[in-house]
Amino acid sequence: MKFFSQYKEEVTYAISSMTEMLRTAKENRYAVGQYNLNNMEFTQAILQAAEEEKSPLICGVSEGAARYMGGFEAVVQMVKSYMKTYNVTVPVAIHLDHGSSFEACAQAIHAGFTSVMIDGSHDPLEENIALTKRVVEMAHAVGVSVEAELGRIGGQEDDLVVDAADANYAIPEECERLVRETGVDCFAPALGSVHGPYKGEPNLGFKQMEEINKLVGLTPLVLHGGTGLPVKDVQKAIEYGHAKVNVNTESQIAATEAVKAVFESNPEQYDPRKYMGPARDAIKETVKGKMRDFGSSGKAK
């Protein structure tokens, strides 16, 4: 029995809430990246990158990606399995990105997600607050962290497309009210970033960002649309309280370019390992670079 208890301790790889990692990041002025999982190779690459960089990690999973990968439970089991395979010792959270409803958040939590985002940003403020409060009450009862959003972030996330003309900056006073009344663990105010590649020059609202950060106090802020932003802008956002930065499109582009390069050099290639392997390597290097940019490398020693 002693042998089995020791063995069990050695192979248990727990996933964490992101609450503590983000509080620590905000206090020490760095950010933890949320890197979205899209398939097996993304999962492998992102976990390997985090362990090699000794960085805390948030694995983001959209509802669409979860369906593609076999459901919420399949995602959790895949992450846990690869944590064991690669001996991942850094803190890892599995986060529902842009949860569309109370029910979706409940399903993710039931499957083992340790964090959820409830996206009520398309609703009027009162409805957003009411929905977010319901999710917070449910999640906090089982130790799961919650992210909320206010304002409209442009670009495309899964099947949701927000035209740049319809995007808007979050209002600082409304942000303070939502955070105070809901008790969320982190908060994403729309301040000029977009999902997907930028068309034109990024224009982050640093003035509003600074004001919102002061109003919400210790609550970490979240920057959506980290792809394509100049590093100096991201680092300035971190100085203004952003402790979580979301990255997906840049990893997807890196993977796609790696696959293209394989077929350009060998058009007859048909073994998926021969083109998805380089894609995985490209994702890993992209994520490692972001971890260094965000200042999270070495923070999980």
Side-chain angles (χ1 to χ4, degrees), residues 96-273:
L96 176 61
D97 192 23
H98 288 277
S100 62
S101 65
F102 178 89
E103 291 74 20
C105 291
Q107 290 165 9
I109 292 169
H110 182 72
F113 278 53
T114 56
S115 182
V116 295
M117 175 189 180
I118 179 64
D119 186 356
S121 61
H122 51 281
D123 294 328
L125 178 62
E126 298 288 347
E127 294 178 23
N128 189 350
I129 289 174
L131 174 60
T132 302
K133 283 179 71 173
R134 286 185 65 210
V135 173
V136 168
E137 289 169 2
M138 169 183 63
H140 283 186
V142 290
V144 170
S145 52
V146 180
E147 174 184 338
E149 181 175 302
L150 198 59
R152 304 298 304 280
I153 294 172
Q156 181 167 353
E157 182 71 20
D158 270 354
D159 297 326
L160 177 65
V161 180
V162 178
D163 188 88
D166 295 326
N168 56 61
Y169 283 9
I171 299 170
E173 292 76 16
E174 292 183 352
C175 294
E176 187 277 333
R177 181 184 168 195
L178 184 145
V179 169
R180 172 170 44 83
E181 293 189 13
T182 63
V184 289
D185 301 285
C186 60
F187 172 64
L191 293 170
S193 59
V194 302
H195 296 123
Y198 280 85
K199 297 177 181 178
E201 291 295 319
N203 185 26
L204 295 183
F206 290 113
K207 182 179 178 181
Q208 296 91 331
M209 192 182 294
E210 184 177 18
E211 185 177 356
I212 291 168
N213 185 42
K214 290 177 180 177
L215 287 171
V216 302
L218 297 176
T219 303
L221 299 181
V222 180
L223 182 63
H224 285 237
T227 293
L229 285 173
V231 175
K232 63 179 179 61
D233 284 2
V234 175
Q235 292 173 343
K236 188 172 181 179
I238 292 170
E239 288 295 314
Y240 287 154
H242 284 80
K244 176 174 178 275
V245 181
N246 293 5
V247 176
N248 184 31
T249 304
E250 196 157 341
S251 300
Q252 292 176 326
I253 291 171
T256 301
E257 292 302 317
V259 172
K260 287 179 181 177
V262 170
F263 285 109
E264 285 172 1
S265 62
N266 186 1
E268 304 303 316
Q269 182 59 255
Y270 58 84
D271 184 344
R273 294 171 297 179

Side-chain angles (χ1 to χ4, degrees), residues 6 27 70 79 104 172 248 259 297:
Q6 290 175 339
E27 181 180 347
V79 170
N248 184 31
V259 172
S297 292

Side-chain angles (χ1 to χ4, degrees), residues 15-33:
I15 51 178
S16 313
S17 159
M18 66 182 185
T19 303
E20 192 58 40
M21 64 173 78
L22 294 188
R23 286 176 179 169
T24 301
K26 182 167 184 176
E27 181 180 347
N28 292 281
R29 297 191 173 184
Y30 65 89
V32 180

Side-chain angles (χ1 to χ4, degrees), residues 33-112:
Q34 172 194 297
Y35 306 96
N36 281 46
L37 310 183
N38 293 283
N39 61 14
M40 180 186 77
E41 284 79 12
F42 272 79
T43 307
Q44 293 172 324
I46 289 166
L47 287 168
Q48 288 174 353
E51 183 61 26
E52 290 176 18
E53 288 295 310
K54 294 301 177 188
S55 169
L57 172 66
I58 300 166
C59 295
V61 185
S62 68
E63 292 179 38
R67 287 192 296 270
Y68 180 81
M69 296 170 70
F72 291 138
E73 188 172 343
V75 172
V76 172
Q77 294 307 315
M78 182 183 291
V79 170
K80 286 183 174 180
S81 177
Y82 284 127
M83 287 179 69
K84 177 181 176 181
T85 299
Y86 301 128
N87 191 27
V88 175
T89 60
V90 301
V92 176
I94 305 180
H95 176 73
L96 176 61
D97 192 23
H98 288 277
S100 62
S101 65
F102 178 89
E103 291 74 20
C105 291
Q107 290 165 9
I109 292 169
H110 182 72

